[in-house]
Short mmCIF file of all heavy atoms in Angstrom, two decimals:
data_model
loop_
_atom_site.label_atom_id
_atom_site.label_comp_id
_atom_site.label_asym_id
_atom_site.label_seq_id
_atom_site.Cartn_x
_atom_site.Cartn_y
_atom_site.Cartn_z
N LEU A 326 43.82 3.15 71.93
CA LEU A 326 43.95 4.56 71.54
C LEU A 326 45.07 5.24 72.32
O LEU A 326 45.68 6.20 71.84
CB LEU A 326 42.62 5.28 71.74
CG LEU A 326 41.51 4.75 70.83
CD1 LEU A 326 40.13 5.12 71.35
CD2 LEU A 326 41.69 5.29 69.41
N THR A 331 46.42 8.45 70.28
CA THR A 331 45.23 9.26 70.05
C THR A 331 44.74 9.89 71.36
O THR A 331 44.30 11.03 71.39
CB THR A 331 44.09 8.40 69.44
OG1 THR A 331 44.60 7.75 68.28
CG2 THR A 331 42.87 9.23 69.05
N LEU A 332 44.78 9.09 72.43
CA LEU A 332 44.31 9.60 73.72
C LEU A 332 45.45 9.62 74.74
O LEU A 332 46.39 8.82 74.65
CB LEU A 332 43.17 8.72 74.27
CG LEU A 332 41.86 8.69 73.49
CD1 LEU A 332 40.83 7.82 74.22
CD2 LEU A 332 41.28 10.08 73.29
N LEU A 376 36.14 10.69 74.43
CA LEU A 376 35.05 10.33 73.52
C LEU A 376 35.53 9.18 72.63
O LEU A 376 36.48 9.34 71.86
CB LEU A 376 34.67 11.54 72.64
CG LEU A 376 33.71 11.24 71.50
CD1 LEU A 376 32.31 10.96 72.02
CD2 LEU A 376 33.68 12.39 70.49
N ILE A 377 34.90 8.05 72.80
CA ILE A 377 35.33 6.86 72.02
C ILE A 377 34.11 6.06 71.57
O ILE A 377 33.18 5.84 72.35
CB ILE A 377 36.18 5.90 72.89
CG1 ILE A 377 37.35 6.62 73.52
CG2 ILE A 377 36.67 4.71 72.05
CD1 ILE A 377 38.11 5.75 74.51
N VAL A 378 34.15 5.63 70.34
CA VAL A 378 33.21 4.61 69.88
C VAL A 378 34.06 3.45 69.36
O VAL A 378 35.01 3.66 68.59
CB VAL A 378 32.28 5.16 68.76
CG1 VAL A 378 31.43 4.05 68.17
CG2 VAL A 378 31.41 6.28 69.30
N GLN A 383 31.68 2.27 64.69
CA GLN A 383 31.89 3.64 64.20
C GLN A 383 31.13 3.90 62.89
O GLN A 383 30.81 2.97 62.15
CB GLN A 383 33.38 3.91 63.99
CG GLN A 383 34.10 4.15 65.31
CD GLN A 383 35.58 4.39 65.15
OE1 GLN A 383 36.07 4.61 64.06
NE2 GLN A 383 36.30 4.30 66.26
N GLY A 384 30.87 5.17 62.64
CA GLY A 384 30.23 5.56 61.37
C GLY A 384 28.73 5.40 61.35
O GLY A 384 28.09 5.56 60.33
N GLU A 385 28.13 5.09 62.51
CA GLU A 385 26.67 4.91 62.57
C GLU A 385 26.00 6.05 63.32
O GLU A 385 24.85 5.96 63.72
CB GLU A 385 26.33 3.58 63.29
CG GLU A 385 26.92 2.34 62.66
CD GLU A 385 26.26 2.00 61.32
OE1 GLU A 385 25.08 2.34 61.15
OE2 GLU A 385 26.96 1.45 60.46
N GLY A 386 26.76 7.09 63.62
CA GLY A 386 26.16 8.23 64.33
C GLY A 386 26.24 8.12 65.85
O GLY A 386 25.71 8.96 66.57
N GLU A 387 26.91 7.06 66.35
CA GLU A 387 26.97 6.88 67.81
C GLU A 387 27.82 7.97 68.47
O GLU A 387 27.52 8.43 69.57
CB GLU A 387 27.53 5.49 68.17
CG GLU A 387 26.83 4.32 67.51
CD GLU A 387 25.42 4.11 68.02
OE1 GLU A 387 25.07 4.69 69.07
OE2 GLU A 387 24.66 3.37 67.37
N GLY A 388 28.91 8.37 67.77
CA GLY A 388 29.75 9.44 68.30
C GLY A 388 28.94 10.72 68.46
O GLY A 388 29.02 11.42 69.48
N GLU A 389 28.12 10.96 67.48
CA GLU A 389 27.25 12.15 67.50
C GLU A 389 26.25 12.06 68.65
O GLU A 389 25.97 13.05 69.33
CB GLU A 389 26.51 12.19 66.16
CG GLU A 389 25.52 13.28 66.03
CD GLU A 389 26.00 14.39 65.10
OE1 GLU A 389 26.87 14.14 64.28
OE2 GLU A 389 25.47 15.51 65.25
N LEU A 410 40.23 18.63 73.73
CA LEU A 410 41.64 18.64 73.32
C LEU A 410 41.83 17.41 72.42
O LEU A 410 41.47 16.31 72.84
CB LEU A 410 42.56 18.51 74.54
CG LEU A 410 43.04 19.80 75.21
CD1 LEU A 410 41.88 20.68 75.61
CD2 LEU A 410 43.91 19.49 76.40
N THR A 411 42.32 17.63 71.23
CA THR A 411 42.42 16.48 70.33
C THR A 411 43.67 16.58 69.46
O THR A 411 44.13 17.68 69.16
CB THR A 411 41.16 16.37 69.44
OG1 THR A 411 41.30 15.24 68.59
CG2 THR A 411 40.93 17.61 68.59
N ARG A 413 43.89 14.10 66.71
CA ARG A 413 43.61 13.49 65.40
C ARG A 413 42.16 13.62 64.94
O ARG A 413 41.81 13.07 63.89
CB ARG A 413 43.91 11.99 65.47
CG ARG A 413 45.29 11.77 66.00
CD ARG A 413 45.88 10.50 65.54
NE ARG A 413 47.19 10.36 66.15
CZ ARG A 413 47.81 9.23 66.33
NH1 ARG A 413 47.24 8.12 65.93
NH2 ARG A 413 49.01 9.20 66.88
N THR A 414 41.35 14.26 65.74
CA THR A 414 39.93 14.22 65.43
C THR A 414 39.37 15.61 65.18
O THR A 414 38.17 15.83 65.27
CB THR A 414 39.17 13.52 66.60
OG1 THR A 414 39.98 12.43 67.05
CG2 THR A 414 37.84 12.95 66.17
N HIS A 416 38.76 17.45 62.61
CA HIS A 416 37.73 17.68 61.59
C HIS A 416 36.36 17.18 62.03
O HIS A 416 35.34 17.73 61.68
CB HIS A 416 38.14 17.05 60.26
CG HIS A 416 39.20 17.85 59.58
ND1 HIS A 416 39.51 17.76 58.27
CD2 HIS A 416 40.03 18.79 60.08
CE1 HIS A 416 40.49 18.60 57.96
NE2 HIS A 416 40.81 19.23 59.07
N TRP A 417 36.39 16.11 62.81
CA TRP A 417 35.11 15.58 63.33
C TRP A 417 34.44 16.65 64.18
O TRP A 417 33.25 16.89 64.09
CB TRP A 417 35.37 14.31 64.15
CG TRP A 417 34.14 13.52 64.45
CD1 TRP A 417 33.58 12.55 63.68
CD2 TRP A 417 33.30 13.65 65.62
NE1 TRP A 417 32.44 12.06 64.29
CE2 TRP A 417 32.26 12.71 65.48
CE3 TRP A 417 33.34 14.45 66.76
CZ2 TRP A 417 31.27 12.55 66.44
CZ3 TRP A 417 32.35 14.29 67.71
CH2 TRP A 417 31.32 13.35 67.55
N PHE A 418 35.24 17.32 65.01
CA PHE A 418 34.67 18.35 65.89
C PHE A 418 34.27 19.61 65.10
O PHE A 418 33.23 20.21 65.38
CB PHE A 418 35.66 18.70 67.01
CG PHE A 418 35.81 17.59 68.02
CD1 PHE A 418 37.00 16.88 68.14
CD2 PHE A 418 34.74 17.23 68.83
CE1 PHE A 418 37.12 15.84 69.05
CE2 PHE A 418 34.85 16.19 69.75
CZ PHE A 418 36.05 15.49 69.86
N LYS A 420 33.22 19.80 62.10
CA LYS A 420 31.97 19.53 61.40
C LYS A 420 30.77 19.64 62.34
O LYS A 420 29.64 19.83 61.92
CB LYS A 420 32.04 18.13 60.79
CG LYS A 420 31.11 17.91 59.63
CD LYS A 420 31.34 16.59 58.96
CE LYS A 420 30.07 16.15 58.25
NZ LYS A 420 30.15 14.78 57.76
N ARG A 421 31.05 19.48 63.62
CA ARG A 421 29.95 19.51 64.59
C ARG A 421 29.90 20.81 65.39
O ARG A 421 29.46 20.85 66.54
CB ARG A 421 30.05 18.28 65.50
CG ARG A 421 29.56 17.06 64.75
CD ARG A 421 30.18 15.76 65.17
NE ARG A 421 29.74 14.69 64.28
CZ ARG A 421 30.31 14.40 63.11
NH1 ARG A 421 31.37 15.10 62.69
NH2 ARG A 421 29.84 13.44 62.35
C1 COA B 1 35.57 10.25 66.82
C2 COA B 1 34.64 9.07 67.07
C3 COA B 1 34.16 9.09 68.51
C4 COA B 1 33.43 9.21 66.13
O1 COA B 1 32.54 8.14 66.39
P1 COA B 1 31.50 7.63 65.28
O2 COA B 1 30.43 6.85 65.98
O3 COA B 1 32.21 6.98 64.16
O4 COA B 1 30.93 9.03 64.81
P2 COA B 1 29.73 9.33 63.83
O5 COA B 1 29.15 8.08 63.27
O6 COA B 1 28.81 10.25 64.55
O7 COA B 1 30.51 10.11 62.69
C5 COA B 1 31.15 9.41 61.68
C6 COA B 1 31.79 10.39 60.70
O8 COA B 1 32.94 10.96 61.32
C7 COA B 1 34.07 10.76 60.48
N1 COA B 1 35.25 10.61 61.33
C8 COA B 1 35.58 9.59 62.12
N2 COA B 1 36.76 9.84 62.71
C9 COA B 1 37.18 11.03 62.25
C10 COA B 1 38.35 11.80 62.46
N3 COA B 1 39.32 11.40 63.24
N4 COA B 1 38.44 12.99 61.83
C11 COA B 1 37.47 13.43 61.00
N5 COA B 1 36.35 12.71 60.76
C12 COA B 1 36.22 11.52 61.36
C13 COA B 1 33.73 9.50 59.73
O9 COA B 1 34.46 9.42 58.53
C14 COA B 1 32.25 9.67 59.47
O10 COA B 1 32.07 10.55 58.40
P3 COA B 1 30.83 10.39 57.39
O11 COA B 1 29.60 10.57 58.23
O12 COA B 1 31.05 11.49 56.42
O13 COA B 1 30.95 9.02 56.83
C15 COA B 1 35.32 7.73 66.73
O14 COA B 1 35.84 7.81 65.42
C16 COA B 1 36.43 7.35 67.69
O15 COA B 1 36.18 6.70 68.69
N6 COA B 1 37.66 7.75 67.35
C17 COA B 1 38.81 7.42 68.18
C18 COA B 1 38.83 8.20 69.46
C19 COA B 1 38.93 9.68 69.23
O16 COA B 1 39.64 10.17 68.36
N7 COA B 1 38.21 10.40 70.08
C20 COA B 1 38.24 11.83 70.14
C21 COA B 1 39.21 12.15 71.21
S1 COA B 1 39.37 13.82 71.44
#
Side-chain angles (χ1 to χ4, degrees):
L326 296 161
T331 306
L332 294 183
L376 170 71
I377 306 173
V378 173
Q383 284 178 13
E385 302 290 331
E387 307 291 346
E389 177 107 21
L410 268 56
T411 180
R413 308 206 182 157
T414 321
H416 285 198
W417 194 88
F418 289 113
K420 202 172 155 190
R421 284 151 186 85

